Structure formats: structure tokens, C-alpha cells
Amino acid sequence: MTTATGTDLDRPASEPPTRQIALGRRIKDHVATVLVSLAFLIAVVPLVWVLVTVIARGLPAILSADWWGYSLSGVLPEEYEGGVYHAIYGTLIQAFIATVIAVPVGILAAIYLVEYGRGPLARAVSFMVDILAGVPSIVAALFVFAAFISILGAPQSAFMVSLALVLLMLPVVIRNTEEMLRLVPDRLRESAYALGIPKWKTILRIVLPTALSGTVTGVMLAIARIMGETAPVLVLVGYARAINYDPFEGNMASLPLLMYSELSNPEAAGQYRIWGAALTLIIIIMIFQVGASLISRFSAIPK
Amino acid sequence: MAKRIDLKDVDIYYGAFHAVQNVNLTVIPRSVTAFIGPSGCGKSTVLRTLNRMHEEIAGARVEGEILLDGENIYDRGTDAVAVRRTIGMVFQMPNPFPTMSVRDNVVAGLKLQGVRDKKKLDEVAEASLRGANLWKEVKDRLDKPGGGLSGGQQQRLCIARAIAVQPDVLLMDEPCSALDPISTLAIEDLIADLKKQYTIVIVTHNMQQAARVSDQTGFFNLEATGKPGHLVEIDDTEKIFSNPTEQATEDYISGRFG
Ligand SMILES: Nc1ncnc2c1ncn2[C@@H]1O[C@H](COP(=O)(O)OP(=O)(O)OP(=O)(O)O)[C@@H](O)[C@H]1O
Ligand SMILES: [Mg+2]
């Protein structure tokens, strides 16, 4: 025992030979620590940079009085008045419609794959989901354009955007739900069957509730992901400076689309609105992400 | 209420793998039948065919007849769900439903079968928990999650859950293997109690346990790994443990195995 009050007797008679090795190891350890920290810094610098820039430049806009409650209706390009209310509404309603369609379909597909799917059909579905997951958003947008607007003659509208978002959201929801369902141990299913509970009820009342928090978290993250998608809004709907509540008709703004359209505004107010919209979009997406992690934290099932 | 089960020339497969060969035996009502034998000889497999749990595994199938009071449970017209309502099961690892409270766990079977009457559910919950010898320990925490109980309590919760649906037969696959000696004794007492009403089949690796709780014991064995397991003999527990007919049984129970 070597303590502050230790005597000479407590010390080893000679330096232990392990000292040398320990020194070498300490050097390696330090080098590794420095390298890892450096890599971390390199990864973090651009992130922080982007965040700081967006906050610094976007803050004046989002703190202005009209920002959250007014559209740009009647606001001249060089004026600083107005807000992005119409674009926030567009972003949210387009994501909402996509969610309403994609979540039930995605969850049912995942249930099919995990609980019922055996044989070639399940493999085919699974393969399609993989393909869908790799489809770039511009391709999804062009597909909707070709199928619904060119062939079926539907007008451009926010709903078309939502359809493209569905295509982007589906594989994420399916894969995530699938994973959550597979995490539910088979012995839970078996003990439900052993009570004479039919399979569909077991899935509905035992398996889904057990997988619920993970599934909801996944859905929130999927929503956060699609809200920033730009290709669908560029291709499938026109920009409007005023509020349009009808997703099935007419032009509608959304935050990415507003940013894009303000890019062609040569006035300083254009820049001002772009940064404001960027910060607004980041804040909205953050809300969903924080919501997702709160849900998974608080509704996690105690082991 | 208790029912008799007859197995006639039963062969059990996992896909191409022949797991158990030619089992013939009778499970007597209102008694405890124990299955013993070395690991991998097919005890769990046989047990799981008795309530058609076996078929939940992809590619698994059963040949031969399993008669519940004379009726083949594998008949085309027979519904697996109905069979499982009659033949309950307790698994090796306690597995309460994690999203449910203690009370909801116990009455999960009834609730999901459509029973709504809250008073009846509460009565059944209490009676089953008493039956499983758990009431005293959990009566103040019925609304807490079932996963918050100790392992032994969870296992008794699972037994309460199984008897709450009032099956005629109760299958238990090594119900005590994860438990301490005191919980084990509690469950053995419970088995002795339950057999007044139920037909019980229990798989156990614990020879003393088989000797203590069962009325008849079946010894399963397998010639070599990869070969199908088979029933060596089944007889009164007393006879199996004192004077078995087969040499293999004698060797196994006296520990001179392999
Ligand atoms: N799901 C399965 N798929 C394929 N083979 C299986 C499966 N379950 C069990 N088997 C095989 O069937 C044989 C019998 O297994 P079983 O689980 O019935 O043995 P057991 O007697 O219960 O053993 P233990 O005492 O270790 O629990 C073993 O060879 C096992 O590998
Ligand atoms: Mg087993």
C-alpha cells in the first residue's frame, strides 16, 4: 500500500521492468487521443460554422415582428416587411399529408414483412423497399410529375409534392418499423399465442405496443428528413408569395421553395429572408428531432 | 375439466431435420407428467407440439396423432387458437408483457379474448394471483409494470397469466431453471396444488424436482447428435427412479450417463 504516509518499506526495491513498457504505451495512448480529438474537431468545425452562420444571419429575420405571423403578400422585393407564415404552413401541410399516407402504409408493410411475409412475395416487397430507399428525391419528384401530371393530367399542387414525399418516406418508415418489430422477442408472441390469443390480436395488442415508442421515434425522424426536401417542391408546385390553404389547388410556398425563389431577388432583403427561412427550417426540424428523442426516452419500456 | 392427452406414433420435424421419432405416450388427467432427458433430445419439441406451438416455427411439422380427450388436435378442422385456449403453456424464461401492468398481464388472455367486465377481470386477477402464490407480494403494486418484479415473481406472474384463462392442461418447459431455490419450492408447491384441477406436463433437468412433483416420468434420449430423439420409457415416477425397465434410464438418473 503506497499512501501519503507510506514508508520506504512500501516501495519496491528496484524499478519494476514494466515502467519502460508503460511509458511506450502512454505515448501511444496520447498520440491516439490527439488524433481522435483532431478528427472530431475536423468533423465538427464545418457543422458549427454552418450553424453559427445561419443563426447569426437568420436571427434578425426570425426575431422581427411579422416573421411568424405574416406572408409575403404585397411585400416588395426590397422591403423587409412580411414573414414566412405561408411557407411554414406549406412545409408542415405537405409533410403532414405525406405522413398520413406513408405511415399507415409503411407500418402495414412492415407488419406484413415481419409477421406474415414468407416466400417470394415478401422477398419481392423487401427488394422494392431497398430500391425505393435508394431513389434520389429528384427522381421521386420526376416520377410523380410523369405519372400524375403528364399522364393523368393532374394540376401542379402541394398534394403532388406530398405524393413525392410519400415515396421518400415509405422506405424509411418500413425499414425502421421492421427493425422495431423484429426487436420484439418471439417469446412474447408465443406466450400470447399460448393464452389462446389469435395472431392478429397478438400483433395489434402485444407486438405493436411493445414496438410503439421506437416506431413513433422513427416516424418523427422520417418527417424531419422529408421537410427539408427541395427537389419535389421545385418540380411539382409553383411558388406563391401569399398564403394558400388548399393543398389540392394552386401554388403554395414552402421554406425550401421560398429560399430558392428569394435567391433570384437581387435586393439585400432577399438574403435576409433566405437566412431567416433557413434558420426557421432548422428550428422546425430540430423540434421534430428533439420530440423524437424525448418520445424514445420517456416511453421506453422498462426492461 | 382436466383432460387426457394421447400421443400416437408422433414424429416431429424442423424442415428436413427429424427432431423426434415415434413417440407414444399418455398424459393422465389431474396428474403431473414429467419429461426428463439430456439436452437436445427433444423434450421441449414434444411439449410444444402438444399445444400446436411447434407450427409457429417456419418449416416445422408433425406427423402422427395427438388426441385431446380422443380428438386429434391436428385435424384439419381444428383451430390452433382453440387448442391453445384449452392447453396453456409456461415458458422457461419468464416473459411478462412489457407494456402491461401486473394486473393487465394476468388478465391479458381474457381481455384479448373480449372479456370487458372490469369486476370479473379484477376477480380473476386476484384469484389467479392467489393461485400462483403471488397475491401477497404484488397486491399493492398491481398497477406497476409486470417487468418490475423479480425473476421468480415474474415466473409466477406468468403462471397466474396462464391459469387465468382456465385451460384444462398446463405445459411447463423448465419453469424453474432461472429461479432460486425458494422460488423453485414455491412453484413446486404450486404445481402440487394445481394438479387437483389441471393436467400438467413439465419438462425439467432437475431429477429431484421430477421425483418430487410428478406422478409419471418419461425419459427421452437420443443416440447421437443429429439423430432424432425418442422416448425411452414412461412409467410411474416411483418406478422410474427406483427400478426402471431400461438400462439407459437407470444410467441417466444415476448420473452414469454418456
Ligand atoms: N427452432 C428450431 N429449428 C431447428 N431445429 C430445432 C429448433 N428447436 C430445436 N431444434 C432441434 O431439435 C432438437 C430437439 O430440441 P429441443 O429444444 O426439443 O431439446 P430439449 O430436449 O428441450 O433440450 P434442452 O434440455 O436443452 O432444452 C435439437 O437437436 C435442436 O437442435
Ligand atoms: Mg428444452
Side-chain angles (χ1 to χ4, degrees), chain A residues 131-205:
Chain A
I131 299 219
L132 208 52
V135 168
S137 57
I138 181 72
V139 175
L142 289 176
F143 166 76
V144 171
F145 191 90
F148 289 86
I149 298 177
S150 296
I151 298 179
L152 295 179
Q156 287 196 331
S157 70
F159 184 65
M160 294 296 130
V161 175
S162 296
L163 288 183
L165 294 181
V166 166
L167 291 181
L168 299 173
M169 209 174 163
L170 260 183
V172 183
V173 173
I174 294 177
R175 282 286 172 253
N176 175 262
T177 309
E178 226 186 314
E179 221 159 276
M180 292 304 131
L181 291 176
R182 287 194 205 283
L183 279 182
V184 177
D186 272 340
R187 47 201 183 83
L188 275 190
R189 293 183 180 84
E190 288 191 345
S191 39
Y193 297 155
L195 295 173
I197 300 171
K199 181 166 180 167
W200 66 272
K201 244 183 193 175
T202 301
I203 293 169
L204 208 62
R205 302 291 296 277

Side-chain angles (χ1 to χ4, degrees), chain B:
Chain B
M1 230 177 57
K3 292 200 169 166
R4 160 194 173 104
I5 306 178
D6 295 282
L7 280 75
K8 294 201 172 140
D9 303 325
V10 172
D11 281 272
I12 310 172
Y13 300 84
Y14 290 100
F17 177 59
H18 193 175
V20 180
Q21 193 174 39
N22 196 28
V23 175
N24 286 281
L25 63 84
T26 295
V27 175
I28 303 160
R30 287 204 177 73
S31 76
V32 178
T33 301
F35 291 166
I36 59 171
S39 186
C41 67
K43 307 176 294 292
S44 302
T45 303
V46 171
L47 197 73
R48 289 167 54 89
T49 57
L50 299 185
N51 67 343
R52 294 188 54 172
M53 198 59 80
H54 182 64
E55 68 201 46
E56 292 302 326
I57 293 163
R61 71 202 154 82
V62 181
E63 283 172 10
E65 288 189 330
I66 297 182
L67 306 173
L68 181 66
D69 271 0
E71 285 191 46
N72 191 350
I73 61 170
Y74 281 89
D75 264 350
R76 277 171 149 259
T78 312
D79 181 14
V81 172
V83 170
R84 293 176 193 145
R85 277 184 197 179
T86 316
I87 308 182
M89 187 162 201
V90 175
F91 297 81
Q92 178 170 5
M93 298 299 289
N95 48 6
F97 299 130
T99 53
M100 296 186 188
S101 67
V102 170
R103 180 196 285 110
D104 284 349
N105 257 287
V106 178
V107 295
L110 288 182
K111 254 186 156 169
L112 297 194
Q113 284 173 24
V115 179
R116 289 275 146 71
D117 183 354
K118 176 140 192 335
K119 191 151 158 277
K120 166 139 199 255
L121 290 177
D122 282 349
E123 276 168 25
V124 171
E126 175 167 353
S128 311
L129 283 169
R130 280 189 196 284
N133 211 347
L134 186 62
W135 175 251
K136 282 201 206 88
E137 287 155 75
V138 300
K139 67 174 189 293
D140 300 318
R141 47 206 277 208
L142 292 173
D143 295 315
K144 296 271 154 55
L149 303 178
S150 79
Q153 289 170 332
Q154 285 186 22
Q155 189 63 305
R156 278 177 285 152
L157 180 65
C158 292
I159 294 176
R161 181 173 73 184
I163 60 182
V165 291
Q166 304 201 304
D168 299 328
V169 181
L170 203 54
L171 310 176
M172 302 176 140
D173 194 351
E174 303 185 40
C176 305
S177 64
L179 303 185
D180 69 298
I182 296 186
S183 304
T184 300
L185 272 186
I187 286 177
E188 286 181 10
D189 287 346
L190 182 60
I191 292 171
D193 228 31
L194 291 174
K195 82 170 181 188
K196 292 174 201 146
Q197 280 189 63
Y198 300 90
T199 304
I200 294 175
V201 184
I202 179 172
V203 171
T204 175
H205 274 288
N206 180 331
M207 240 45 92
Q208 286 81 23
Q209 183 170 63
R212 279 193 301 262
V213 301
S214 72
D215 302 293
Q216 63 168 352
T217 298
F219 170 58
F220 287 80
N221 203 352
L222 79 176
E223 258 121 52
T225 37
K227 289 262 180 66
H230 60 278
L231 179 65
V232 176
E233 64 176 314
I234 181 162
D235 214 328
D236 287 346
T237 298
E238 218 164 291
K239 176 137 193 305
I240 291 281
F241 282 95
S242 60
N243 182 24
T245 314
E246 300 289 329
Q247 186 60 39
T249 316
E250 168 104 48
D251 289 350
Y252 183 72
I253 57 174
S254 60
R256 267 183 281 129
F257 185 75

